[in-house]
Amino acid sequence: ELESLLYLALGGVFSELNEEAAPQFRFGYRFETDSAAFGISGSLAPFPTTGGGGAGFDFEGLYFFDGQGASSIYVGSALGYQGYSYGEPAFTNLDSTVGNDDGTWSGAGFAVRPMVGWEFFRATSGRLFVQAEANLPTYMMERGSEEEWNPSFMFTIGGGFDVDPAVFVLGTLLNK
């Protein structure tokens, strides 16, 4: 049986160049069978102390090890396009602000995200999951004349609910 899920997730992003853990918000829509899932997702990651942030769009695929179980560990991967920009935090006074303009790292391009997770309540219309992943960009971050590869690591907790695909089609037709 093919199920369609709309999901939201909240997590943290950790990378060497950013020097801070930042929140990450992910939203997506995917189709699941007993043993596999595929879908699309978008993400936003604001970096509060540097004033920067990031955004991305991915196509993802997952494989569930226990397709018949009420919960299952899964592995997967996503391929997408993303962009990030952040500075070096300056903690010289009580509020944190971006340092001088030449301290800003920025970059955009394609990235691969291998992931492992655990999805719960698979036999119901609502799902919860925990997921760990690596973000492996195919591009370099740039700051002035410097370039550096900046992989990041993410931990995400999320939930989704079963949505009939006809709701989206019907809603689109009725809004015309």
Side-chain angles (χ1 to χ4, degrees):
E1 178 183 341
L2 185 65
E3 297 178 289
S4 59
L5 295 172
L6 185 63
Y7 69 91
L8 298 171
L10 174 64
V13 179
F14 309 91
S15 74
E16 184 179 340
L17 290 180
N18 192 26
E19 299 178 1
E20 73 171 317
Q24 180 186 47
F25 305 96
R26 182 166 292 139
F27 45 92
Y29 185 73
R30 71 179 174 216
F31 295 97
E32 287 190 9
T33 65
D34 287 344
S35 60
F38 58 94
I40 58 173
S41 68
S43 62
L44 296 171
F47 302 126
T49 61
T50 64
F57 181 79
D58 297 308
F59 293 97
E60 62 183 21
L62 307 175
Y63 173 77
F64 295 96
F65 286 100
D66 185 3
Q68 300 296 320
S71 67
S72 178
I73 293 175
Y74 62 86
V75 294
S77 184
L79 174 64
Y81 192 84
Q82 63 188 18
Y84 286 97
S85 176
Y86 41 83
E88 293 181 358
F91 298 103
T92 55
N93 47 24
L94 291 179
D95 65 336
S96 301
T97 57
V98 175
N100 53 20
D101 289 337
D102 63 347
T104 300
W105 288 97
S106 63
F110 289 98
V112 175
R113 289 188 304 111
M115 61 189 83
V116 61
W118 196 348
E119 187 175 84
F120 304 93
F121 310 118
R122 297 193 75 229
T124 68
S125 62
R127 312 280 165 88
L128 294 176
F129 63 89
V130 293
Q131 181 172 294
E133 57 194 87
N135 184 58
L136 308 173
T138 61
Y139 60 92
M140 303 293 274
M141 296 292 286
E142 297 177 352
R143 178 176 68 178
S145 63
E146 294 178 83
E147 286 189 343
E148 192 159 334
W149 187 57
N150 189 41
S152 57
F153 301 93
M154 294 161 263
F155 181 75
T156 307
I157 298 172
F161 54 92
D162 195 9
V163 176
D164 186 353
V167 170
F168 290 116
V169 174
L170 185 59
T172 303
L173 294 175
L174 292 176
N175 286 327
K176 288 189 176 193

